[in-house]
Amino acid sequence: MSGDDAVVEELADGERVRVRVAGREFVIDAACPHRKGRLVHGYVNPRTLRIICPLHRSSFDLTTGCAVAGPATEALKVYSDGPADDGRRKGRATR
């Protein structure tokens, strides 16, 4: 589940998730570092740019990967952060 204008999709490698929200795109770890909850099913808050794990409600800042709430103490890795593309560019963080 994601916020009204957020799109969350798991990449082909299954190890990362692409989040498009508020005109930006982030590629992050697919699993929460706490108990490996699948973030593709997480909630994205478009106002705060945070993703919330569906398993234990840990919240992570999409820009830094830092855990900001919940039981998680480790950060997510942020692989890329930038403006969202329109789907026409090729090869952006797909492997």
Side-chain angles (χ1 to χ4, degrees), residues 22-73:
R24 296 178 69 183
E25 179 177 285
F26 305 91
V27 177
I28 60 172
D29 288 333
C32 174
H34 174 245
R35 295 281 184 191
K36 306 300 180 205
R38 303 304 296 171
L39 295 176
V40 71
H41 302 294
Y43 173 79
V44 176
N45 184 321
R47 187 178 55 80
T48 61
L49 295 179
R50 293 181 181 171
I51 189 165
I52 300 171
C53 178
L55 197 56
H56 296 110
R57 312 280 300 155
S58 289
S59 177
F60 301 90
D61 184 311
L62 288 168
T63 62
T64 64
C66 290
V68 293
T73 57

